[in-house]
Amino acid sequence: MNKERKNIGLAILLIFSSLLVCLDRIFWQSSPDILINDKVNIQQSLMQIYHASTLIGIDIFAIGIGFLLQGSEDKSWSSAIKYWMYTIFVGTLGLLVLTLFSREFSIVDLYNMLFPFVRNTYGILSGIVLGMLTLPLFNKGVKKYANIIKLSLLLVIIAPTIFNKDIFGFANRTVFGYILVNLGFYGNYIKSKLNVKKVVTRIILLLLTNIIVVSLMPEFSKAVHNDLSTAGRFTNSASALLILLAFYVVLLVSKIKVNVKSGYVDFVIYTVWALLVISNNQPLLNKLIEYNRKTAQSVTRWILAKDIKEILWLMLIVILSNFVILGICKLTGISQKISSFYDIKADEELSQFFYRITNGIKSWLKAHRVYLATIVWGYFLAIFSFLMMNTKWTVAPNVDVKYNIFTYTIGVRQAMVLVNTIIFLLFLKFIFSLTNRYWFSTIVASLLWIIWVVANRIKIGIRNEPILPSELSMIKAWRSLLGMVDGWILLLVVAVIAITIPIIYFLEKKYRLPKQKWYSRVAWLIIIPVIFSSVTFLNHEKSVIHIISGGISNDPTFYNQLAGAQKNGPTQQFLNNIDVEVMKKPSGYSKERMQQLKDKYKKVAADINKNRVNDFKNQVVIFNLSESFSDPNRVPGIQLSNDPIPYIRQLKQKTTSGTMISAGYGGGTANMEYMSLTGLDLSNFSPTLPTPYTQLVTHRKYNPNIAQSFPESVAIHPYQGVYYSRTEVYKRFGFNRFYYLGSKYKIKYKKKIDRSPYLSDETAYKNALDQVKKANNGEFINLVTMQNHFPYDRNYYNNSDRYTPVGEGIDDYTRNAVQDFSTGLSYTDTAVKDFISEIDKLDKSVTLVFYGDHLPGIYGGVDMTKYGIQLHSTDYFIYSNKYAREHGARNLVSKTEYVGPNDFIALMAKQTNSKVNAYQALLTEVQEKLPVATLNTQKSTVNSYNTHTEFVDNNGKIVEYKSLSKKQKQLWEDYKLLQYDITAGKNYWKNN
């Protein structure tokens, strides 16, 4: 324990001041009702007085620290470093604890904790640390210029109060903290010149003056300004009256000679410092304020006791934590090393001190230059891995923005570059811990990283997506894989390996670096696998690793794996795809159970087919996903001046039609497409499988879908085919051809409307009509349009003011977006009318299943928790042409008002009067006897994580699972067993 002694009275005063600061931060920032009303009364004046009494806490703390540190200039630099390191540690630890409990994380908050000075996180504390650094200069100056320093301090403190302007940047707080701690330095210097009587007299006078001006300011503010805009002029920490009162209070306590060992006082200061760090941790403070807000606003008088209780608990936790932290510092010798390095030696000139510090830093950099160079090298390799994921010099992470790849990688995705750097360094450290040979580990880790990146680039050239975990099984076929690689690349790899072997040998011999201790190696060999194993929870919505991952901008982008690799780097994108559980295994799943189900639904199919006269092989069926198609008039608070979809509205009255419950809002196109083609429900999947197209279909050989029931099937998408891995998905689904921009099967008709960048729906239907006319027998066409894709605020169309929305809460963005979107709908309406007119002329059975995939994300002012069903309701209809109707097709009128995308197979088969197999018979039972199953409609669920299944009945009302009948529950279990067998199980249904 340090033998130096310090004033325990000042330490106790610091504890009291921290209590006041915490009260101020937690209670007053909760905006209690007394501070937001506009009344002048005795309660207002009393609360202003109380507010001032809490605001003085920070003044007392900063000035008190100055009193305690003054006279210890030989330790001021080491103290500054220790307190700053402690600030970073406590802030980061507090953020970690907050993340664990609140399940929220932001990279911005982490930056604020790690770089508090440049981020201006703790202004007062930053100012105090700066004061510590300049204490030697202050002590030298005060001996020569005591009066000048005194006048300067008074001027800086008093001037802002007199002129009611923050002329010295006190709102910045760093300057304020610096002034206060210097005032404490000065107070300690002159304390012997003032006797206790004078100090007490000044305290009483300042206290009375503060009470008078603070209590009367609301009255003056109301009289002068007719409001309370200046009621708090003296109710702030920068008020000269409060600062001077705090100064004399500290001065009085410092005169009470009760000294104890310095270590006890230091412990108190660290504890109080930690409390102030926590009370200035804005995310944590926001949570406390959120917790207190209701009580603070409704019961201003009684909330104080609750706050004090919470703060005392917090203080107890901080004290116990400090015992642990400071104990570790003592055991490891960190504190002593800092002191020995940064303390100013006796009789040492300041210039000599700076020279010593500079040389010390240079020596440290020189001693660690190899390791620092390795970090820089890792950062370079991380950037290299990002850049290699691009096949062009520009990247478009969204359809409406475009970046230079260097700008995007180094600027926009900097956080993820750093994450990839850490991944590389951990990988290197693991090899180093295994071999204990630094150069070998560094070069091998670098080569493996480069090979990995190049392999990803090769796959991108072939398949437009990076390497995924499911493909590791292909290593067994390594000979075939090598056969796909250009010979010169293999020769280059062999040559590089041959060259690096002697280089490694030379470096290990010539430049040997210190080897790790055995216990350090063992520790790292345990720690690093544990760190990497956390990725098995990466997609678990409530896991800490998922929360932190989202906070640092890791965007898995499952719907476009290539974009994910460009955003996150190939390594992180690979890790993103590890934690994928398709769906939970239903109870009772077995080969025998699936055989029973198949037999059961074969009988159901036979019963259904007794009354069916058609087969799919004689039908042309078009599933038309119309991008974002949904009636704006259905949205609460939106009413258009004209109807953009008069034809479709009229058509819906004449044919099978209704409302489709979408599992997405503002996005999720491929999920709706997957459901419509397979008949499977997204809500049955695990939360770690938000996008089946890219996470499931591309990795399974067995993908039953409606296209396989037809002799021929084609897909048409007048846009790029890479999104959602459609080029691979359609192959797996068994489509014969896929027409998209850039494919070998050309998009024949290309037309855009006004300034829109997308090909029109007219174009989509003309290309589809070509395929319909070419069909000899049955054909299935999956048509996905693009015309009405976002953005909607670019004024793409002329005369959009024809569809001006009216209603409450419509801002300029919503108005413009709805106008442009509705204009696009009107073009869709016309294109559908023309298309139906054309297919009605054909002498073949043609059925069009038309549906909107989701609403556009332009209705931000509508409360989704209240209007979730409306914001997830799109339009659909099923139309069979004249020839089809003459040959058995019939409109449906029963239980079709609300459906899901997974119902379209059954509805289409029923309308076309086509026979079904056992699989489709089960889907028919689900459509007819169960309410619509979907994801939580209170969330946007755009390729997001499934939280629970929600059921919507034919009246558009949410029903609970427990309210389903016994037969309905059994049917739902049968459905889940089928889905599990197909997507995650052993495919007994197929194999049997």
Side-chain angles (χ1 to χ4, degrees):
M1 188 69 71
N2 197 329
K3 294 182 179 179
E4 182 186 344
R5 303 180 75 81
K6 290 183 180 178
N7 189 323
I8 189 62
L10 283 176
I12 295 171
L13 184 63
L14 291 183
I15 294 175
F16 177 70
S17 72
S18 69
L19 178 63
L20 294 179
V21 172
C22 290
L23 277 173
D24 175 68
R25 297 287 287 172
I26 295 174
F27 178 65
W28 294 104
Q29 289 198 27
S30 298
S31 299
D33 53 350
I34 192 66
L35 293 184
I36 58 177
N37 65 35
D38 202 29
K39 297 178 181 178
V40 177
N41 51 32
I42 187 66
Q43 189 183 22
Q44 179 73 247
S45 296
L46 288 174
M47 295 311 292
Q48 291 286 351
I49 292 170
Y50 174 71
H51 193 187
S53 70
T54 59
L55 287 168
I56 199 174
I58 196 65
D59 298 339
I60 292 174
F61 173 77
I63 295 169
I65 288 287
F67 264 80
L68 282 168
L69 292 176
Q70 213 281 341
S72 304
E73 68 178 84
D74 58 325
K75 297 182 181 297
S76 63
W77 269 64
S78 63
S79 294
I81 300 300
K82 289 175 188 175
Y83 281 117
W84 201 240
M85 291 176 65
Y86 191 67
T87 301
I88 294 171
F89 180 80
V90 171
T92 307
L93 183 62
L95 181 62
L96 178 61
V97 172
L98 177 65
T99 301
L100 290 172
F101 284 96
S102 70
R103 301 294 171 176
E104 295 177 4
F105 178 78
S106 168
I107 188 65
V108 174
D109 295 333
L110 181 61
Y111 288 153
N112 289 341
M113 299 303 110
L114 293 176
F115 310 104
F117 185 77
V118 293
R119 302 283 299 184
N120 196 22
T121 309
Y122 311 108
I124 292 287
L125 300 183
S126 300
I128 293 172
V129 169
L130 284 176
M132 294 181 197
L133 294 174
T134 58
L135 177 57
L137 292 175
F138 180 91
N139 283 338
K140 288 180 182 297
V142 77
K143 295 173 183 177
K144 296 181 181 179
Y145 311 107
N147 288 330
I148 294 176
I149 290 176
K150 174 183 177 181
L151 290 173
S152 299
L153 288 171
L154 284 174
L155 174 65
V156 172
I157 291 166
I158 294 172
T161 303
I162 293 175
F163 297 103
N164 197 28
K165 291 292 181 182
D166 188 17
I167 56 178
F168 298 114
F170 282 0
N172 180 313
R173 309 300 282 178
T174 302
V175 175
F176 187 48
Y178 183 75
I179 296 299
L180 290 181
V181 77
N182 275 273
L183 186 61
F185 296 155
Y186 180 77
N188 195 317
Y189 178 75
I190 65 158
K191 68 179 180 180
S192 60
K193 298 179 183 180
L194 293 174
N195 57 44
V196 173
K197 184 178 179 180
K198 286 183 178 180
V199 174
V200 171
T201 301
R202 294 178 185 184
I203 288 175
I204 293 172
L205 289 173
L206 284 165
L207 182 60
L208 292 174
T209 305
N210 268 293
I211 291 172
I212 292 169
V213 298
V214 167
S215 60
L216 290 180
M217 272 311 297
E219 187 73 41
F220 282 109
S221 179
K222 191 72 173 179
V224 177
H225 303 286
N226 198 30
D227 57 30
L228 296 183
S229 58
T230 60
R233 177 172 176 179
F234 296 100
T235 313
N236 66 84
S237 298
S239 166
L241 294 171
L242 276 185
I243 293 173
L244 291 173
L245 177 59
F247 175 79
Y248 284 111
V249 167
V250 174
L251 188 59
L252 177 64
V253 174
S254 72
K255 287 181 173 292
I256 302 172
K257 305 271 186 187
V258 182
N259 294 330
V260 296
K261 289 181 179 179
S262 176
Y264 296 134
V265 176
D266 288 342
F267 182 81
V268 170
I269 296 174
Y270 275 111
T271 301
V272 174
W273 193 279
L275 280 170
L276 292 183
V277 169
I278 292 171
S279 68
N280 282 275
N281 185 322
Q282 199 61 47
L284 178 60
L285 183 65
N286 289 340
K287 283 297 174 186
L288 289 172
I289 288 172
E290 181 183 329
Y291 177 70
N292 278 345
R293 187 173 297 280
K294 289 183 180 179
T295 348
Q297 289 186 342
S298 59
V299 193
T300 301
R301 291 174 297 173
W302 303 113
I303 186 61
L304 300 178
K306 182 182 175 186
D307 282 339
I308 292 172
K309 181 181 177 182
E310 289 175 3
I311 292 166
L312 291 176
W313 273 109
L314 183 62
M315 191 175 289
L316 177 62
I317 293 170
V318 170
I319 289 171
L320 294 175
S321 301
N322 269 338
F323 271 117
V324 176
I325 295 168
L326 298 178
I328 292 172
C329 289
K330 189 172 182 65
L331 288 172
T332 56
I334 292 174
S335 184
Q336 291 82 353
K337 289 177 182 177
I338 294 173
S339 295
S340 63
F341 190 73
Y342 289 106
D343 284 351
I344 300 175
K345 310 299 182 184
D347 302 323
E348 183 179 29
E349 292 292 331
L350 204 58
S351 59
Q352 294 175 320
F353 170 75
F354 282 116
Y355 180 76
R356 178 166 58 86
I357 294 298
T358 303
N359 273 354
I361 293 172
K362 286 181 179 179
S363 299
W364 184 88
L365 291 174
K366 184 177 180 180
H368 297 83
R369 65 186 183 278
V370 173
Y371 305 111
L372 295 173
T374 303
I375 293 173
V376 174
W377 171 242
Y379 180 75
F380 169 78
L381 287 178
I383 292 176
F384 166 74
S385 70
F386 276 71
L387 297 179
M388 286 291 287
M389 296 303 99
N390 297 277
T391 56
K392 300 177 182 178
W393 292 106
T394 57
V395 60
N398 291 310
V399 297
D400 60 334
V401 293
K402 185 175 285 188
Y403 295 93
N404 173 280
I405 58 172
F406 295 97
T407 303
Y408 183 69
T409 300
I410 300 173
V412 180
R413 304 303 296 170
Q414 181 61 219
M416 290 311 301
V417 171
L418 294 175
V419 168
N420 278 262
T421 304
I422 293 170
I423 291 172
F424 169 77
L425 294 175
L426 286 173
F427 178 55
L428 189 159
K429 184 70 174 179
F430 185 78
I431 299 175
F432 185 31
S433 298
L434 277 175
T435 64
N436 219 6
R437 295 182 180 276
Y438 185 81
W439 295 110
F440 173 85
S441 304
T442 302
I443 293 175
V444 168
S446 301
L447 280 177
L448 291 175
W449 183 275
I450 293 169
I451 291 170
W452 164 253
V453 172
V454 171
N456 273 273
R457 177 57 181 266
I458 291 171
K459 193 198 171 192
I460 287 170
I462 298 171
R463 293 261 300 273
N464 276 316
E465 68 176 12
I467 297 172
L468 301 173
S470 59
E471 294 163 335
L472 291 183
S473 60
M474 295 173 67
I475 292 175
K476 297 176 183 177
W478 60 271
R479 289 188 179 86
S480 298
L481 291 174
L482 290 179
M484 299 177 189
V485 180
D486 290 341
W488 69 268
I489 294 179
L490 296 176
L491 288 174
L492 180 62
V493 172
V494 172
V496 170
I497 293 173
I499 292 171
T500 54
I501 291 174
I503 292 175
I504 292 172
Y505 180 80
F506 172 77
L507 292 172
E508 290 288 353
K509 282 287 187 181
K510 184 73 174 176
Y511 300 102
R512 290 189 177 182
L513 294 173
K515 294 188 176 182
Q516 298 179 97
K517 303 291 184 182
W518 70 267
Y519 49 81
S520 175
R521 294 174 63 189
V522 171
W524 280 110
L525 288 173
I526 295 172
I527 292 170
I528 293 173
V530 168
I531 292 172
F532 280 119
S533 67
S534 66
V535 300
T536 57
F537 298 93
L538 192 58
N539 295 328
H540 285 57
E541 189 175 13
K542 295 188 182 301
S543 69
V544 175
I545 184 67
H546 172 75
I547 293 160
I548 294 175
S549 169
I552 58 178
S553 302
N554 177 27
D555 181 5
T557 320
F558 294 122
Y559 61 90
N560 187 342
Q561 294 288 353
L562 176 57
Q566 293 168 344
K567 289 180 178 181
N568 311 307
T571 308
Q572 182 60 54
Q573 187 64 10
F574 180 88
L575 298 176
N576 287 337
N577 284 277
I578 287 178
D579 177 29
V580 175
E581 178 188 33
V582 177
M583 64 180 287
K584 294 186 182 301
K585 184 178 180 179
S587 61
Y589 176 73
S590 66
K591 183 176 181 179
E592 294 74 19
R593 176 65 177 140
M594 294 312 300
Q595 183 61 52
Q596 291 172 4
L597 280 184
K598 190 168 187 179
D599 293 340
K600 174 182 177 180
Y601 287 100
K602 276 185 178 179
K603 293 179 180 178
V604 174
D607 290 339
I608 292 172
N609 293 338
K610 287 178 183 177
N611 300 314
R612 302 278 177 95
V613 298
N614 289 326
D615 291 305
F616 290 130
K617 66 181 181 180
N618 300 319
Q619 306 285 326
V620 176
V621 173
I622 307 161
F623 272 27
N624 173 203
L625 184 155
S626 183
E627 174 61 43
S628 299
F629 190 94
S630 55
D631 186 359
N633 284 307
R634 188 187 293 113
V635 178
I638 300 289
Q639 187 174 354
L640 300 182
S641 54
N642 287 286
D643 186 2
I645 53 171
Y647 175 77
I648 291 176
R649 194 180 305 282
Q650 181 185 25
L651 181 65
K652 287 180 67 176
Q653 304 300 316
K654 300 177 180 179
T655 189
T656 307
S657 66
T659 301
M660 188 199 85
I661 300 297
S662 173
Y665 170 80
T669 299
N671 288 343
M672 305 311 110
E673 188 181 347
Y674 174 83
M675 292 172 68
S676 69
L677 294 177
T678 63
L680 304 179
D681 195 279
L682 199 68
S683 69
N684 281 331
F685 287 129
S686 162
T688 63
L689 190 89
T691 313
Y693 260 20
T694 57
Q695 294 178 280
L696 177 67
V697 177
T698 55
H699 314 311
R700 292 187 70 84
K701 295 180 180 178
Y702 181 49
N703 291 290
N705 64 89
I706 186 59
Q708 295 166 356
S709 296
F710 291 78
E712 187 177 51
S713 56
V714 298
I716 303 170
H717 180 45
Y719 196 60
Q720 300 170 19
V722 67
Y723 285 97
Y724 298 104
S725 299
R726 281 194 177 96
T727 51
E728 181 64 20
V729 166
Y730 291 149
K731 286 180 184 177
R732 300 273 178 166
F733 275 174
F735 281 82
N736 301 95
R737 298 183 300 281
F738 177 24
Y739 295 82
Y740 63 93
L741 295 180
S743 68
K744 64 178 180 179
Y745 305 109
K746 303 299 181 184
I747 296 289
K748 182 177 179 181
Y749 301 100
K750 297 179 182 180
K751 179 183 176 182
K752 298 177 181 178
I753 304 171
D754 298 336
R755 293 165 298 282
S756 174
Y758 307 121
L759 293 182
S760 67
D761 282 359
E762 178 188 346
T763 287
Y765 290 124
K766 281 187 175 181
N767 284 284
L769 188 62
D770 263 8
Q771 297 303 314
V772 173
K773 290 178 177 179
K774 290 177 183 176
N776 294 320
N777 297 304
E779 182 176 64
F780 180 81
I781 299 172
N782 188 55
L783 174 63
V784 180
T785 70
M786 195 66 186
Q787 174 190 289
N788 296 321
H789 200 280
F790 84 94
Y792 307 105
D793 59 347
R794 304 300 170 86
N795 190 27
Y796 285 154
Y797 302 116
N798 299 327
N799 303 317
S800 61
D801 55 356
R802 174 175 167 78
Y803 303 103
T804 301
V806 295
E808 295 182 6
I810 296 177
D811 55 20
D812 288 342
Y813 169 78
T814 303
R815 182 179 297 104
N816 294 334
V818 171
Q819 285 181 175
D820 228 39
F821 171 65
S822 300
T823 306
L825 294 182
S826 70
Y827 285 111
T828 299
D829 192 65
T830 301
V832 168
K833 180 180 180 180
D834 293 342
F835 182 61
I836 286 180
S837 175
E838 289 297 321
I839 62 175
D840 267 339
K841 298 174 184 177
L842 302 177
D843 290 332
K844 58 179 69 176
S845 295
V846 182
T847 295
L848 171 66
V849 178
F850 174 99
Y851 65 99
D853 54 342
H854 55 73
L855 273 74
I858 57 178
Y859 306 112
V862 182
D863 186 355
M864 191 170 290
T865 60
K866 186 177 180 181
Y867 299 109
I869 295 293
Q870 291 90 328
L871 292 177
H872 288 81
S873 296
T874 69
D875 297 86
Y876 90 93
F877 67 81
I878 303 176
Y879 179 83
S880 296
N881 71 345
K882 182 180 178 182
Y883 186 91
R885 295 196 301 271
E886 290 172 349
H887 291 78
R890 58 196 176 188
N891 291 339
L892 309 175
V893 293
S894 176
K895 295 185 178 180
T896 62
E897 179 55 36
Y898 285 90
V899 304
N902 52 312
D903 291 324
F904 289 142
I905 293 175
L907 288 169
M908 178 274 296
K910 193 185 301 186
Q911 172 145 331
T912 58
N913 207 5
S914 298
K915 295 178 181 180
V916 295
N917 58 28
Y919 181 113
Q920 293 155 354
L922 175 52
L923 297 184
T924 302
E925 291 283 281
V926 169
Q927 186 275 316
E928 290 181 344
K929 298 178 180 179
L930 284 177
V932 178
T934 187
L935 300 181
N936 186 356
T937 55
Q938 273 67 54
K939 292 186 176 181
S940 63
T941 56
V942 181
N943 300 317
S944 64
Y945 299 87
N946 172 27
T947 53
H948 68 271
T949 302
E950 193 169 83
F951 293 95
V952 180
D953 66 15
N954 207 47
N955 297 313
K957 304 295 183 183
I958 296 174
V959 294
E960 299 292 333
Y961 175 78
K962 62 184 180 182
S963 67
L964 299 182
S965 67
K966 185 177 181 180
K967 288 185 177 180
Q968 284 179 315
K969 289 178 180 177
Q970 183 58 59
L971 176 57
W972 181 248
E973 293 306 311
D974 290 351
Y975 183 48
K976 288 202 295 185
L977 281 166
L978 171 67
Q979 184 161 337
Y980 179 81
D981 183 64
I982 289 171
T983 60
K986 298 184 178 180
N987 303 151
Y988 292 134
W989 185 290
K990 173 193 175 186
N991 297 333
N992 288 344

